[in-house]
């Protein structure tokens, strides 16, 4: 699975996700990627793209969860994204990238690693696979 | 408003910490290339919808990631690709599943968002819609890499579906007649 989220200087947000799914999946199996609110979601607060075990991500509506936690519980993007990944299912099932309307970035995951990269207008960039520490 | 920002991923999973350099470096280089592509598009004032589509197309074209070329295989050894895209301000969105010959599924998802009253098209309908809109298509074999043929074989041997990078483990007890694990 691959994905990208972006916000411009005017606060416009978008999310895009694409995948081949699971190795050895049944023919006709749908994963989280095309399910809006599960693997992909964007509203006026944030944009989210998820990856991992699709069946868990669909059950937990992970991408929408991040936006809802920000909207109804007033969590920051970082807090909301971390909580949504933590609640998504057992260790090893999920990761996501997200940006917020005010240019915050979050890339939490509960797997061993996640191929990820980000950049912000204030000059911060990161390209990584495993935890930084 | 603080300023623009972008984040991208190439999949998560049980990526072994001892991943050999010849498999790690091309992926890191591709991530950096796609990041640079997205940043320059944002800096030149492109809308985030265009930026995310552009970056995901680039990732789909890279055989080391599980999307587009390099998509993993079904139990029948075929490719069934899916994608979606969403605009935050309007909540407009588009999604496709079951594409077998389209080079960039994310662009078909965008066409669904912009050219139909629907959100989600699947399988034969999505394939027909893609053809009708003249998006680039190739033989399904274009998407199948030797690495993914080997991974399917491995997954079958261990009788399991496999997350993007999870190393296969020995056979798991079958539950109700078929493997229940993701």
């Amino acid at each position: 699975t691959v994905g990208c989220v972006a916000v411009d200087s005017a606060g416009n947000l978008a999310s895009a996700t694409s995948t081949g799914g699971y190795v050895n999946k049944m023919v006709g199996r749908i994963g989280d990627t095309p399910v809006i609110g599960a693997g992909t979601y964007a509203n006026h607060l944030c944009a989210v793209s998820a990856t991992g075990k699709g069946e868990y991500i669909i059950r937990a509506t992970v991408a929408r969860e991040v936006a809802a936690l920000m909207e109804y519980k007033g969590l920051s993007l970082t807090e909301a994204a971390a909580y949504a990944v933590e609640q998504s299912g057992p260790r090893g099932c999920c990761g996501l990238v997200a940006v917020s309307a005010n240019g915050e970035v979050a890339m939490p995951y509960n797997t061993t690693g996640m191929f990820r990269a980000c950049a912000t207008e204030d000059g911060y960039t990161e390209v990584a696979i495993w935890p930084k520490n | 408003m603080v300023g623009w920002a972008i984040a991208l991923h190439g999949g998560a999973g049980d990526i072994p910490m001892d991943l050999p350099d010849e498999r790690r470096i091309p992926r890191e280089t591709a991530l950096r290339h796609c990041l640079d592509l997205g940043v320059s598009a944002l800096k030149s004032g492109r809308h985030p919808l265009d930026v995310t589509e552009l970056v995901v197309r680039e990732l789909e074209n890279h055989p080391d990631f599980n999307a587009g070329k390099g998509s993993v295989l079904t139990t029948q050894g075929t490719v069934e690709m899916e994608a979606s895209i969403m605009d935050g301000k309007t909540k407009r969105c588009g999604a496709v599943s079951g594409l077998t010959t389209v080079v960039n599924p994310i662009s078909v998802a965008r066409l669904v968002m912009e050219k139909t009253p629907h959100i989600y098209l699947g399988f034969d309908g999505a394939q027909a819609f893609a053809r009708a809109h003249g998006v680039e298509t190739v033989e399904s074999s274009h998407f199948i890499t030797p690495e993914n043929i080997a991974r399917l074989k491995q997954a079958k041997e261990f009788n399991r579906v496999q997350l993007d990078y999870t190393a296969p483990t020995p056979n798991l007890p079958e539950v109700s007649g078929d493997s229940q694990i993701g």
Side-chain angles (χ1 to χ4, degrees), chain B residues 107-126:
Chain B
S107 295
V108 183
R110 181 143 187 205
L111 283 168
V112 171
M113 177 177 88
E114 294 183 336
K115 308 284 188 193
T116 80
H118 305 312
I119 287 180
Y120 194 157
L121 290 180
F123 298 90
D124 293 352

Side-chain angles (χ1 to χ4, degrees), chain A residues 1-36 40-44 49-53 92 94-95 97-99 101-105 107 109 111-121 125-131, chain B residues 1-17 19 24 27-28 31-32 35 39 42 47-49 51-53 55-56 59-60 65-67 71-76 78 80-89 91 93 95-97 105-106 119-120 123 151-152 155-156 160-165 182:
Chain A
T1 306
V2 302
C4 182
V5 290
V7 59
D8 64 13
S9 306
N12 297 302
L13 286 149
S15 173
T17 315
S18 180
T19 188
Y22 257 142
V23 182
N24 201 23
K25 68 182 180 182
M26 290 174 68
V27 171
R29 178 261 186 189
I30 304 285
D32 62 290
T33 294
V35 179
I36 297 295
T40 302
Y41 189 74
N43 68 0
H44 61 291
S49 173
T51 173
K53 292 185 180 175
C94 170
V97 295
V99 290
N102 59 12
E104 215 185 344
V105 172
M107 303 191 288
Y109 53 93
T111 53
T112 309
M114 178 167 75
F115 292 105
R116 62 194 189 280
C118 71
T120 54
E121 188 162 0
T125 63
E126 178 183 340
V127 177
I129 299 174
W130 297 286
Chain B
M1 205 21 233
V2 173
W4 57 258
I6 183 171
L8 57 98
H9 68 79
D14 187 9
I15 306 171
M17 304 288 265
L19 191 68
R24 176 177 60 80
R27 287 169 169 88
E28 284 179 346
L31 289 172
R32 189 171 300 284
L35 184 66
V39 168
L42 273 174
H47 189 281
L49 265 179
V51 174
T52 54
E53 180 187 3
V55 169
V56 169
L59 288 163
E60 286 173 335
F65 295 112
N66 170 21
S71 286
V72 295
L73 307 180
T74 69
T75 193
Q76 303 292 325
T78 57
E80 291 185 352
M81 300 175 281
E82 47 196 21
S84 66
I85 191 166
M86 186 164 189
D87 174 48
K89 193 146 281 188
K91 287 199 187 165
C93 46
V96 288
S97 280
I106 193 62
I119 287 180
Y120 194 157
F123 298 90
R151 286 172 68 188
L152 175 60
K156 280 178 178 285
R160 57 172 298 163
V161 290
Q162 201 179 27
L163 185 58
D164 286 358
Y165 301 95

